[in-house]
Amino acid sequence: MKFAHRDVEYDVHALTSEKWEWIAYPKIGVGSKFGGLSGPTEADAKKSARLGIDELLDGKEAAN
């Protein structure tokens, strides 16, 4: 299932019962697909994805 944060889509996948993967899909011109690992819950993975998206977007805004 895909989610969105600050107009960037992301999704999360359970790798094990306590390890989750998240992948963010920025729009063209903003950045490339990126992701990470988190755990032990889906909520933790979503939070990590949102933080990663914030870092990407805030860094882009600061550079402009």
Side-chain angles (χ1 to χ4, degrees), residues 47-63:
K47 181 178 180 179
S48 292
R50 292 189 304 268
L51 289 172
I53 291 167
D54 287 342
E55 287 178 9
L56 171 75
L57 296 178
D58 292 344
K60 291 286 184 186
E61 291 169 7

Side-chain angles (χ1 to χ4, degrees), residues 3 16 39 46 49 56 63:
F3 306 95
T16 68
K46 289 178 182 177
L56 171 75

Side-chain angles (χ1 to χ4, degrees), residues 8-47:
V8 175
E9 288 189 349
Y10 69 94
D11 55 14
V12 296
H13 305 278
L15 300 176
T16 68
S17 63
E18 293 187 6
K19 185 182 270 185
W20 290 77
E21 174 185 45
W22 60 268
I23 302 171
Y25 306 93
K27 296 186 185 299
I28 294 173
V30 175
S32 301
K33 173 177 84 168
F34 67 99
L37 298 175
S38 184
T41 67
E42 180 179 9
D44 291 330
K46 289 178 182 177
K47 181 178 180 179

